Amino acid sequence: MVLILALLLSACSAETDSEEDGDSSATEITLGFYSSGSADEKMKDLIAQFEKEHPDIKVKTQNAPYQQFFQKLDTQIAGGNEPDVWLSDGVFVLKYAERGAARDLTKWIEKDLNKDDYYGLDFNKGPDGKYWGVPQGIQIGALFYNKDMFDAAGVDYPDDTWTWEDLKEAGAKLTIDTSGKKAGESGFDANTVKQYGLTFFNITEGWMPVLKSYGGGVLGEDLRKSIIDSPENKEAVNYIVDGMERGIFTDPADLQAFQSPMSPFPSQTAAMRIGIYARALAANETGVNYDVTVLPKGPDGKRFSPVIANSWVISNNTSDKKAKAAWEWIKYWVSEDNVQKQWAELGEAVPVKKSVANSDLFLNSGDKPQNKQAFLDSFEFAGTLDVNAVWSEWVKQMGDNLNRAFLNEASVDEALETADKEVQKVQDEFYKK
């Protein structure tokens, strides 16, 4: 009996040793990310630095331009062969979480990260309070303005006292038609505008900041129920439509005349834009003399800045061993000042770590805008874009209906009533499965 027990213990010991040997070997993980020009080389450089400091982890990479990357990722997830860790657009994190593709990171975040050290961690929390991603970089909205155009028009620069009505009033003085008339002047032709007061584009850099600061929005706190057909949203959309009818704001038809709907500000065809931090790159490349300030207040003094926390997500399909290695990569990315500083030097995003975001490296770097502090101040009133698992689907329904109002193809009341029904239908079809 003693001999049998000894043999069993020996066998168990040998099995344990074998497992430990396996755990001690290098773990290879696949890391996916969407390409963004010069940032690719820095990403590969940081991966090489990570491997040097973590010789037990090897990293393979998969990358592609934005659209192709996410199309391929959806196919990979469906086939169960997605990367072990990938960089997600912030608006897609809950889509992966609620479809079971992302791993719950709550325990690891609470164990390894001091939440007060970071911007944006909570923007990846679902309605259940769980964390599904860790920000790689933060995009947060501010008001960009062309200083030369303001100087030429004799208009004071915008500041934190501005309301949306102040913006429209200033915008009228900055809007010029092909005959040189300004908006509001006799003979001004809103159909031949050559310089707009404000360029207005899509959900993030268009209608959502206005709706939210007017007290409206798209989904309620549970991110399941549409709140579109509300008095606050009607007031906000009427404000936007009025600006478009008067030629002060670009409408969807105006934007078709440009190579890109994002180009009116860097091409100096618009005096102002609502822009996330990354828009500074294009403005700097074209040499616009500009700066930024916080976005205007709504009628009741409420302010809202849109946030997109592009984030690292770990596959729920990967092994525990690979998931732990992937978590080491994420910790390395967010917690090492040296890594954060290297990424911040690219100027693509607001650094995740507060110590770096509030340093001279970010705030006082040579490139415009001068007032980068405005991006950090905006975290006080920042919020997500009502992101949930069917974000892309409802954004299309909402955007299509708003565009009908913007183009005078439907009244504001009709557009919001229809959008309310269609957006709610999208929620019901997904969440009542």
Side-chain angles (χ1 to χ4, degrees):
M1 184 66 183
V2 172
L3 178 60
I4 293 173
L5 183 59
L7 289 172
L8 285 172
L9 288 172
S10 175
C12 290
S13 176
E15 188 175 318
T16 300
D17 288 343
S18 174
E19 289 177 355
E20 289 177 351
D21 286 343
D23 286 341
S24 65
S25 62
T27 302
E28 183 176 87
I29 59 173
T30 303
L31 184 153
F33 61 95
Y34 46 94
S35 301
S36 54
S38 60
D40 286 4
E41 289 303 314
K42 176 51 66 178
M43 182 73 80
K44 291 175 183 175
D45 183 22
L46 290 172
I47 289 171
Q49 294 175 42
F50 170 76
E51 287 182 321
K52 188 175 181 180
E53 294 189 24
H54 297 78
D56 56 332
I57 301 174
K58 300 298 179 188
V59 180
K60 288 199 311 181
T61 59
Q62 291 182 3
N63 66 303
Y66 183 92
Q67 293 290 348
Q68 292 93 317
F69 176 78
F70 285 105
Q71 288 172 357
K72 181 180 179 182
L73 181 60
D74 284 345
T75 302
Q76 289 176 313
I77 289 172
N81 60 348
E82 68 272 24
D84 302 298
V85 55
W86 68 86
L87 174 60
S88 173
D89 189 313
V91 298
F92 297 147
V93 172
L94 287 186
K95 163 186 164 181
Y96 301 126
E98 296 189 35
R99 285 173 166 81
R103 183 174 287 241
D104 179 3
L105 303 181
T106 308
K107 291 182 179 178
W108 283 343
I109 287 174
E110 291 179 345
K111 174 177 175 288
D112 292 337
L113 301 181
N114 181 356
K115 296 175 189 174
D116 291 338
D117 289 346
Y118 302 98
Y119 287 119
L121 274 179
D122 284 354
F123 296 130
N124 285 318
K125 284 173 70 174
D128 55 4
K130 295 180 180 177
Y131 292 88
W132 299 99
V134 173
Q136 175 254 16
I138 306 289
Q139 298 297 341
I140 186 165
L143 181 65
F144 288 55
Y145 60 96
N146 184 312
K147 296 169 73 173
D148 289 343
M149 289 181 179
F150 272 72
D151 291 342
V155 178
D156 291 338
Y157 297 154
D159 58 28
D160 60 4
T161 67
W162 270 31
T163 65
W164 286 105
E165 288 295 342
D166 292 329
L167 182 147
K168 188 183 286 181
E169 183 179 342
K173 298 173 183 174
L174 293 154
T175 300
I176 305 171
D177 69 11
T178 53
S179 67
K181 298 284 187 181
K182 293 183 178 179
E185 288 184 348
S186 177
F188 171 78
D189 184 357
N191 295 313
T192 62
V193 175
K194 68 175 184 181
Q195 177 180 302
Y196 294 92
L198 175 76
T199 183
F200 202 85
F201 170 65
N202 79 17
I203 173 173
T204 313
E205 296 163 309
W207 47 265
M208 185 65 100
V210 184
L211 266 57
K212 290 276 189 177
S213 56
Y214 270 71
V218 175
L219 300 177
E221 289 185 4
D222 65 353
L223 299 176
R224 305 286 187 275
K225 174 70 175 175
S226 169
I227 58 167
I228 294 169
D229 195 14
S230 69
E232 292 83 2
N233 280 339
K234 288 177 183 176
E235 186 179 4
V237 178
N238 275 315
Y239 165 84
I240 298 168
V241 170
D242 174 71
M244 291 178 173
E245 288 179 342
R246 295 169 58 191
I248 301 169
F249 304 165
T250 55
D251 68 24
D254 296 327
L255 295 177
Q256 292 178 6
F258 294 88
Q259 185 174 13
S260 160
M262 291 183 285
S263 67
F265 186 81
S267 67
Q268 305 202 56
T269 313
M272 293 178 280
R273 72 162 300 161
I274 305 165
I276 56 176
Y277 181 76
R279 303 304 177 223
L281 290 173
N284 289 339
E285 286 174 0
T286 54
V288 180
N289 181 23
Y290 76 101
D291 207 343
V292 300
T293 187
V294 294
L295 288 171
K297 296 179 286 189
D300 296 328
K302 183 176 181 180
R303 209 189 301 269
F304 177 83
S305 183
V307 164
I308 299 174
N310 297 325
S311 297
W312 295 112
V313 171
I314 296 179
S315 168
N316 199 31
N317 190 45
T318 194
S319 68
D320 288 346
K321 184 178 179 182
K322 287 177 179 283
K324 289 178 182 175
W327 177 246
E328 289 301 317
W329 160 255
I330 294 174
K331 280 199 301 182
Y332 179 76
W333 181 279
V334 298
S335 61
E336 296 289 335
D337 277 17
N338 182 44
V339 176
Q340 288 280 297
K341 287 177 179 176
Q342 290 184 62
W343 193 252
E345 286 173 348
L346 296 176
E348 285 202 329
V350 176
V352 175
K353 198 168 186 187
K354 291 180 180 177
S355 59
V356 177
N358 287 277
S359 70
D360 282 348
L361 175 71
F362 176 72
L363 292 174
N364 298 316
S365 61
D367 290 337
K368 299 184 186 72
Q370 185 176 13
N371 184 26
K372 294 185 179 71
Q373 183 65 45
F375 292 104
L376 304 188
D377 293 343
S378 296
F379 280 105
E380 292 182 19
F381 41 86
T384 66
L385 303 169
D386 290 353
V387 174
N388 68 1
V390 285
W391 186 83
S392 297
E393 290 88 337
W394 72 248
V395 167
K396 183 178 187 313
Q397 300 295 341
M398 183 70 175
D400 287 350
N401 281 290
L402 284 178
N403 283 348
R404 292 171 60 219
F406 296 161
L407 295 171
N408 284 320
E409 296 171 355
S411 69
V412 171
D413 285 359
E414 180 187 350
L416 290 179
E417 184 178 344
T418 304
D420 185 70
K421 293 176 182 175
E422 293 182 350
V423 168
Q424 189 59 54
K425 184 180 179 183
V426 170
Q427 313 308 313
D428 293 343
E429 288 178 349
F430 181 80
Y431 289 107
K432 289 185 177 178
K433 285 178 181 177

